[in-house]
Amino acid sequence: MGSALGARYKQTGRIDDLVQHIHHQQEALLLCTIEHPLRPSTLHSLGIALQTRFDQTGDAAHLGMSIKYQQEVLSFCPTDHPGRSSVLNNLGIALQKQFDRTGGPGDLGMSIEYHQEALLLRPIDHPGRSGALNNLGIAIHKRFDQTGDPADLNMSIEYHKEALALRPLNHPSRSSALNNLGIALQKRFHLTNDATNLDMSIKYHEEDLLLHPIGHPGRSATLNSLGIALHKRFDQTRDAADLDASIEYHQEDLLLHPIGRPGRSLPLNNLGIALRKRFDQMGDPADFEMSIKYHQEDLSICPIGHPNRALILNSLGLSLEAQSRRKGDMADFEDCIRYYREGSEYVLSSLSHRKVACNNWIKAARRYRSESLGDAYKSSLDLLDRSLLLAASTLPDTHSRLRGNRETVTEDATSDAIGKHELARAVEISERGRALLFTQLGNYRTPLYELQAVDNKLADRFRELSTSMEESSLSGGGGKIGGGAMTDHVGRRQRLAVEWDRTLQAIRELNGFENFLGVTPFTQLRRAANNGPVILVNISQYGSNAIIIHKTGEPISVTLPEATPTAIEALVRTLRQTTGTSLGEKESYKILETVLRDIWTKIVEPVVFQLENMLKVRRWSRIWWITTSLASLLPLHAAGVYVSGGRNLPDRFVSSYAITLSSLLRSRAGHPRRKNSLSPRILVVAQSGAEGEQQLPMVHHEVVIIRSLPAEVTVIEGDDCTRDPVLTGLMETDWVHFACHGKQHPTEPFQSHFSLLTRDTSLTLLDIIKTGLPQGELAVLSACHSAAGDESTPDEGIHLTAGVLFTGFRSVIGTMWAMADEDGPVIAEEFYKYMFRRGPEAADCRDAADGLAKAIRVLRRRKVPLERWVNFVHYGI
């Protein structure tokens, strides 16, 4: 009876038949024990029927039981079972629906796994391959909506393209392939702004609409997709015909979803947005009033618990903000801020929807000087942290995402706190938003001694997960599209990230661990200034400042009105033209001198005034610079007036740099690490003739100088100078001196490298980061571009010097651009002479900045070109 009712439901669509079918199948299941031969087919039929019932009612209980039954069916289908792929497919779809309802990334991750396996069981000639491709493409697209990882979107598009190719013009399922591919191409247009993607999307949706005449059950989805695509094209071209057509499609879609019917929310939201846009263009108040009406209805039918609520809150917030501007009613503005806030903090919605709401909150709060602006910035930084964690990408992939979506939220939030005279909070904000990739990786290596004493089991679990997360972040994880390897790897990383975060929250519930791996408080950060002032330079479109953090007293704010982002960008551009180019010495000197004067005027001079006159910092004292934005690429340490008799910064103080305050604290922590000898063990990595590189004849002289030092010196050179011996040597040394070519990769900074014997044996930044170097004290990187920085993500501080610091070395000397080969021996002789001035037992890495300053003064006395001595920088203690 149950089977007959199910068959009739498929023919007629009568709800009563489906309800009775479910009832009879449930009774049949009670009669089928675990061993009964009909139990698998009964479970399967019941699971599908309950999923269909969920689609009609939205009752979560139906979906939960459907998943439970289908999981049991899967247990009856081993790997070689002919029906396994269908069960995997159905279970994957059910878990996607549960993800849509709850937003749980674990459901989506399992859905992707099931669809991957289903695809593997359906090779190219399998009649069900297109369906498997389609479902996997949809699931990965959903993951893109959560994480924003472009790799997921591109993968989804490839799957949908293959699915479409398997569904020719008369194929009954061509429509879904057209729609899914069109939607994915819309998303890629939004990501890349390449109009070709949008035009192709519209083309696919228009073909899809032809396959869905009036009365067709699939017409609604196509109307929605085509309406959105035309709206996006209107935003690009301002062609009113596109917007009018978009509104017509959304209006028709809304008519197909009368009040009380599932699916009404989406057309309400899209129609409300389009009508508000037409009001902005045409000024018809009726459009505006209807827009607000639709959004308000939409919110009323999507209560707390609905996954799309953040999207709706944002849309209503935009309309109320516009109404506030139109009528001057502050009540509307307060409501819009409330909706933006709720949308930003609504954890059941996708991160992408929450970010949109948060960005609009920031804009509105700043425009109207709302007191909520600080909260909006905090929410934005929270979302950034969350997206980096849940993306669970490899380190280079995560950098690629940051590179493509550079934001200034940290600098702007810092500027806001400074403007409110909350300098301690400003420092905390700036610290939180810098070097995100190194910070994330550092979290995986954090010591757990204190936690171990409180909860040994939890500490062991967190250490295990952190190790797995680090290995995953530093792995390649690639694979061919269609084979599932890449998707599977990403899925495992994401599940690891969810479990790691869940365990972190459990740790924070322990007494005394509430802020474990949280925002570092200023009371702790200020200790970085115990050995000298630290100057944080913040460049923002809303006002640039320097904050001087010193040992005693409150931080000092220094306004930098001339250091606008535009001015800093111009200085970086000019500097790039000067260094490493074929300009003549005189011309290069003149341009660089002008740049250094501008840096002095715009940034350094106001800071020096405070240091000398307010804090009474003595001449030749140590100071540290932490810079933001493109200022990170400027040689602040060499700024000055450069006139006869004038005192430049190098004539006043000894400058060092730090990536973050926390990194400086880590470098200072503990005592000198030398254990096995009184004098430092020094490793020299020397390569004068790397494959494909210009010869470096002066490298030999550097080696001779270092060999003569009263220390245990090991030299790796010539044919022995390859990756593995160097990495082994780094593990066993106190000091290291690289004398070779260095390269900063222009687009993939983690592939920046030291050139060793051959290209294949070069030592990359990623190789270095993978290595923990507990003995490391001092590193001298006498190689080109070793502290050059990455222009696309300057706040991340991704260069060879930073990598060596991260692995454990406490004091590092690097170069900002190409260095002259003949300067290597001069720097080495004068630097090490200073370092060993009190004998080998007293050689201390904390003297490195002063030693470099002494060596630089020798170069200056020899009248070497300006760019040659400005090139050298010191990082760390």
Side-chain angles (χ1 to χ4, degrees), residues 261-280:
R261 178 174 172 178
R264 183 170 173 84
S265 172
L266 204 56
L268 281 169
N269 184 64
N270 293 330
L271 182 53
I273 294 171
L275 286 168
R276 185 180 69 246
K277 197 68 64 72
R278 190 164 70 182
F279 166 78
D280 291 340

PDB file of all heavy atoms in Angstrom, residues 261-280:
ATOM      1  N   ARG A 261       3.341  30.200   1.521  1.00  0.00           N
ATOM      2  CA  ARG A 261       4.017  29.145   0.773  1.00  0.00           C
ATOM      3  C   ARG A 261       5.527  29.246   0.976  1.00  0.00           C
ATOM      4  O   ARG A 261       6.082  30.352   0.972  1.00  0.00           O
ATOM      5  CB  ARG A 261       3.682  29.253  -0.713  1.00  0.00           C
ATOM      6  CG  ARG A 261       4.400  28.202  -1.550  1.00  0.00           C
ATOM      7  CD  ARG A 261       3.953  28.238  -2.984  1.00  0.00           C
ATOM      8  NE  ARG A 261       4.772  27.363  -3.810  1.00  0.00           N
ATOM      9  CZ  ARG A 261       4.596  27.151  -5.108  1.00  0.00           C
ATOM     10  NH1 ARG A 261       3.590  27.753  -5.727  1.00  0.00           N
ATOM     11  NH2 ARG A 261       5.385  26.343  -5.773  1.00  0.00           N
ATOM     12  N   PRO A 262       6.217  28.111   1.162  1.00  0.00           N
ATOM     13  CA  PRO A 262       7.673  28.153   1.292  1.00  0.00           C
ATOM     14  C   PRO A 262       8.327  28.782   0.064  1.00  0.00           C
ATOM     15  O   PRO A 262       7.819  28.675  -1.057  1.00  0.00           O
ATOM     16  CB  PRO A 262       8.068  26.674   1.420  1.00  0.00           C
ATOM     17  CG  PRO A 262       6.833  25.986   1.900  1.00  0.00           C
ATOM     18  CD  PRO A 262       5.681  26.740   1.300  1.00  0.00           C
ATOM     19  N   GLY A 263       9.449  29.448   0.277  1.00  0.00           N
ATOM     20  CA  GLY A 263      10.182  30.038  -0.836  1.00  0.00           C
ATOM     21  C   GLY A 263       9.843  31.486  -1.100  1.00  0.00           C
ATOM     22  O   GLY A 263      10.397  32.089  -2.019  1.00  0.00           O
ATOM     23  N   ARG A 264       8.953  32.082  -0.316  1.00  0.00           N
ATOM     24  CA  ARG A 264       8.538  33.466  -0.574  1.00  0.00           C
ATOM     25  C   ARG A 264       9.638  34.467  -0.204  1.00  0.00           C
ATOM     26  O   ARG A 264       9.717  35.559  -0.777  1.00  0.00           O
ATOM     27  CB  ARG A 264       7.268  33.771   0.222  1.00  0.00           C
ATOM     28  CG  ARG A 264       6.699  35.168  -0.025  1.00  0.00           C
ATOM     29  CD  ARG A 264       5.321  35.316   0.606  1.00  0.00           C
ATOM     30  NE  ARG A 264       4.816  36.688   0.544  1.00  0.00           N
ATOM     31  CZ  ARG A 264       4.194  37.210  -0.514  1.00  0.00           C
ATOM     32  NH1 ARG A 264       4.015  36.455  -1.595  1.00  0.00           N
ATOM     33  NH2 ARG A 264       3.756  38.453  -0.489  1.00  0.00           N
ATOM     34  N   SER A 265      10.497  34.098   0.733  1.00  0.00           N
ATOM     35  CA  SER A 265      11.505  35.034   1.240  1.00  0.00           C
ATOM     36  C   SER A 265      12.414  35.576   0.135  1.00  0.00           C
ATOM     37  O   SER A 265      12.671  36.777   0.065  1.00  0.00           O
ATOM     38  CB  SER A 265      12.360  34.348   2.310  1.00  0.00           C
ATOM     39  OG  SER A 265      13.439  35.160   2.688  1.00  0.00           O
ATOM     40  N   LEU A 266      12.920  34.689  -0.712  1.00  0.00           N
ATOM     41  CA  LEU A 266      13.901  35.110  -1.715  1.00  0.00           C
ATOM     42  C   LEU A 266      13.353  36.146  -2.695  1.00  0.00           C
ATOM     43  O   LEU A 266      13.986  37.185  -2.906  1.00  0.00           O
ATOM     44  CB  LEU A 266      14.428  33.878  -2.453  1.00  0.00           C
ATOM     45  CG  LEU A 266      15.805  34.015  -3.104  1.00  0.00           C
ATOM     46  CD1 LEU A 266      16.848  34.427  -2.085  1.00  0.00           C
ATOM     47  CD2 LEU A 266      16.203  32.684  -3.744  1.00  0.00           C
ATOM     48  N   PRO A 267      12.186  35.917  -3.308  1.00  0.00           N
ATOM     49  CA  PRO A 267      11.672  36.960  -4.203  1.00  0.00           C
ATOM     50  C   PRO A 267      11.332  38.258  -3.472  1.00  0.00           C
ATOM     51  O   PRO A 267      11.469  39.347  -4.050  1.00  0.00           O
ATOM     52  CB  PRO A 267      10.433  36.328  -4.834  1.00  0.00           C
ATOM     53  CG  PRO A 267      10.093  35.156  -3.996  1.00  0.00           C
ATOM     54  CD  PRO A 267      11.371  34.683  -3.391  1.00  0.00           C
ATOM     55  N   LEU A 268      10.904  38.176  -2.227  1.00  0.00           N
ATOM     56  CA  LEU A 268      10.654  39.396  -1.461  1.00  0.00           C
ATOM     57  C   LEU A 268      11.933  40.218  -1.322  1.00  0.00           C
ATOM     58  O   LEU A 268      11.934  41.439  -1.538  1.00  0.00           O
ATOM     59  CB  LEU A 268      10.127  39.039  -0.059  1.00  0.00           C
ATOM     60  CG  LEU A 268       8.657  38.653   0.071  1.00  0.00           C
ATOM     61  CD1 LEU A 268       8.381  38.084   1.463  1.00  0.00           C
ATOM     62  CD2 LEU A 268       7.743  39.845  -0.204  1.00  0.00           C
ATOM     63  N   ASN A 269      13.016  39.561  -0.966  1.00  0.00           N
ATOM     64  CA  ASN A 269      14.284  40.272  -0.772  1.00  0.00           C
ATOM     65  C   ASN A 269      14.797  40.866  -2.080  1.00  0.00           C
ATOM     66  O   ASN A 269      15.158  42.051  -2.148  1.00  0.00           O
ATOM     67  CB  ASN A 269      15.335  39.311  -0.197  1.00  0.00           C
ATOM     68  CG  ASN A 269      16.641  40.010   0.119  1.00  0.00           C
ATOM     69  OD1 ASN A 269      16.708  40.888   0.977  1.00  0.00           O
ATOM     70  ND2 ASN A 269      17.699  39.625  -0.566  1.00  0.00           N
ATOM     71  N   ASN A 270      14.811  40.045  -3.123  1.00  0.00           N
ATOM     72  CA  ASN A 270      15.359  40.521  -4.397  1.00  0.00           C
ATOM     73  C   ASN A 270      14.515  41.631  -5.013  1.00  0.00           C
ATOM     74  O   ASN A 270      15.049  42.585  -5.586  1.00  0.00           O
ATOM     75  CB  ASN A 270      15.489  39.346  -5.370  1.00  0.00           C
ATOM     76  CG  ASN A 270      16.530  38.345  -4.920  1.00  0.00           C
ATOM     77  OD1 ASN A 270      17.507  38.707  -4.267  1.00  0.00           O
ATOM     78  ND2 ASN A 270      16.326  37.078  -5.234  1.00  0.00           N
ATOM     79  N   LEU A 271      13.197  41.516  -4.900  1.00  0.00           N
ATOM     80  CA  LEU A 271      12.324  42.556  -5.440  1.00  0.00           C
ATOM     81  C   LEU A 271      12.482  43.843  -4.636  1.00  0.00           C
ATOM     82  O   LEU A 271      12.517  44.947  -5.205  1.00  0.00           O
ATOM     83  CB  LEU A 271      10.869  42.073  -5.414  1.00  0.00           C
ATOM     84  CG  LEU A 271       9.822  43.029  -6.001  1.00  0.00           C
ATOM     85  CD1 LEU A 271      10.199  43.454  -7.420  1.00  0.00           C
ATOM     86  CD2 LEU A 271       8.442  42.347  -5.991  1.00  0.00           C
ATOM     87  N   GLY A 272      12.609  43.718  -3.312  1.00  0.00           N
ATOM     88  CA  GLY A 272      12.804  44.908  -2.489  1.00  0.00           C
ATOM     89  C   GLY A 272      14.081  45.643  -2.849  1.00  0.00           C
ATOM     90  O   GLY A 272      14.106  46.875  -2.943  1.00  0.00           O
ATOM     91  N   ILE A 273      15.161  44.907  -3.080  1.00  0.00           N
ATOM     92  CA  ILE A 273      16.444  45.534  -3.453  1.00  0.00           C
ATOM     93  C   ILE A 273      16.325  46.239  -4.804  1.00  0.00           C
ATOM     94  O   ILE A 273      16.779  47.384  -4.980  1.00  0.00           O
ATOM     95  CB  ILE A 273      17.552  44.471  -3.497  1.00  0.00           C
ATOM     96  CG1 ILE A 273      17.818  43.918  -2.101  1.00  0.00           C
ATOM     97  CG2 ILE A 273      18.836  45.056  -4.085  1.00  0.00           C
ATOM     98  CD1 ILE A 273      18.741  42.714  -2.080  1.00  0.00           C
ATOM     99  N   ALA A 274      15.711  45.554  -5.775  1.00  0.00           N
ATOM    100  CA  ALA A 274      15.596  46.132  -7.124  1.00  0.00           C
ATOM    101  C   ALA A 274      14.726  47.383  -7.123  1.00  0.00           C
ATOM    102  O   ALA A 274      15.033  48.375  -7.809  1.00  0.00           O
ATOM    103  CB  ALA A 274      15.027  45.081  -8.080  1.00  0.00           C
ATOM    104  N   LEU A 275      13.654  47.370  -6.355  1.00  0.00           N
ATOM    105  CA  LEU A 275      12.777  48.552  -6.294  1.00  0.00           C
ATOM    106  C   LEU A 275      13.493  49.725  -5.635  1.00  0.00           C
ATOM    107  O   LEU A 275      13.313  50.889  -6.051  1.00  0.00           O
ATOM    108  CB  LEU A 275      11.494  48.216  -5.537  1.00  0.00           C
ATOM    109  CG  LEU A 275      10.500  47.340  -6.302  1.00  0.00           C
ATOM    110  CD1 LEU A 275       9.412  46.828  -5.378  1.00  0.00           C
ATOM    111  CD2 LEU A 275       9.882  48.120  -7.478  1.00  0.00           C
ATOM    112  N   ARG A 276      14.284  49.447  -4.602  1.00  0.00           N
ATOM    113  CA  ARG A 276      15.048  50.538  -3.991  1.00  0.00           C
ATOM    114  C   ARG A 276      16.052  51.108  -4.971  1.00  0.00           C
ATOM    115  O   ARG A 276      16.260  52.323  -5.038  1.00  0.00           O
ATOM    116  CB  ARG A 276      15.779  50.034  -2.739  1.00  0.00           C
ATOM    117  CG  ARG A 276      16.505  51.165  -1.990  1.00  0.00           C
ATOM    118  CD  ARG A 276      17.236  50.677  -0.762  1.00  0.00           C
ATOM    119  NE  ARG A 276      18.378  49.852  -1.095  1.00  0.00           N
ATOM    120  CZ  ARG A 276      18.488  48.567  -0.817  1.00  0.00           C
ATOM    121  NH1 ARG A 276      17.498  47.931  -0.201  1.00  0.00           N
ATOM    122  NH2 ARG A 276      19.567  47.885  -1.155  1.00  0.00           N
ATOM    123  N   LYS A 277      16.649  50.256  -5.774  1.00  0.00           N
ATOM    124  CA  LYS A 277      17.606  50.722  -6.773  1.00  0.00           C
ATOM    125  C   LYS A 277      16.906  51.590  -7.820  1.00  0.00           C
ATOM    126  O   LYS A 277      17.456  52.607  -8.259  1.00  0.00           O
ATOM    127  CB  LYS A 277      18.272  49.502  -7.419  1.00  0.00           C
ATOM    128  CG  LYS A 277      19.560  49.803  -8.164  1.00  0.00           C
ATOM    129  CD  LYS A 277      20.678  50.224  -7.243  1.00  0.00           C
ATOM    130  CE  LYS A 277      21.112  49.168  -6.289  1.00  0.00           C
ATOM    131  NZ  LYS A 277      21.850  48.050  -6.840  1.00  0.00           N
ATOM    132  N   ARG A 278      15.694  51.186  -8.229  1.00  0.00           N
ATOM    133  CA  ARG A 278      14.977  52.002  -9.220  1.00  0.00           C
ATOM    134  C   ARG A 278      14.551  53.336  -8.622  1.00  0.00           C
ATOM    135  O   ARG A 278      14.536  54.357  -9.322  1.00  0.00           O
ATOM    136  CB  ARG A 278      13.772  51.242  -9.767  1.00  0.00           C
ATOM    137  CG  ARG A 278      13.140  51.962 -10.975  1.00  0.00           C
ATOM    138  CD  ARG A 278      12.206  51.069 -11.754  1.00  0.00           C
ATOM    139  NE  ARG A 278      10.983  50.756 -11.023  1.00  0.00           N
ATOM    140  CZ  ARG A 278      10.022  49.957 -11.499  1.00  0.00           C
ATOM    141  NH1 ARG A 278      10.178  49.385 -12.699  1.00  0.00           N
ATOM    142  NH2 ARG A 278       8.942  49.704 -10.801  1.00  0.00           N
ATOM    143  N   PHE A 279      14.221  53.338  -7.338  1.00  0.00           N
ATOM    144  CA  PHE A 279      13.901  54.614  -6.698  1.00  0.00           C
ATOM    145  C   PHE A 279      15.117  55.548  -6.731  1.00  0.00           C
ATOM    146  O   PHE A 279      14.989  56.745  -6.989  1.00  0.00           O
ATOM    147  CB  PHE A 279      13.462  54.395  -5.249  1.00  0.00           C
ATOM    148  CG  PHE A 279      13.431  55.659  -4.447  1.00  0.00           C
ATOM    149  CD1 PHE A 279      12.380  56.556  -4.587  1.00  0.00           C
ATOM    150  CD2 PHE A 279      14.467  55.982  -3.571  1.00  0.00           C
ATOM    151  CE1 PHE A 279      12.354  57.745  -3.876  1.00  0.00           C
ATOM    152  CE2 PHE A 279      14.452  57.167  -2.855  1.00  0.00           C
ATOM    153  CZ  PHE A 279      13.388  58.045  -3.001  1.00  0.00           C
ATOM    154  N   ASP A 280      16.283  54.990  -6.461  1.00  0.00           N
ATOM    155  CA  ASP A 280      17.504  55.805  -6.485  1.00  0.00           C
ATOM    156  C   ASP A 280      17.719  56.436  -7.856  1.00  0.00           C
ATOM    157  O   ASP A 280      18.208  57.563  -7.970  1.00  0.00           O
ATOM    158  CB  ASP A 280      18.734  54.952  -6.138  1.00  0.00           C
ATOM    159  CG  ASP A 280      18.737  54.504  -4.683  1.00  0.00           C
ATOM    160  OD1 ASP A 280      18.039  55.142  -3.866  1.00  0.00           O
ATOM    161  OD2 ASP A 280      19.437  53.519  -4.358  1.00  0.00           O
TER     162      ASP A 280
END
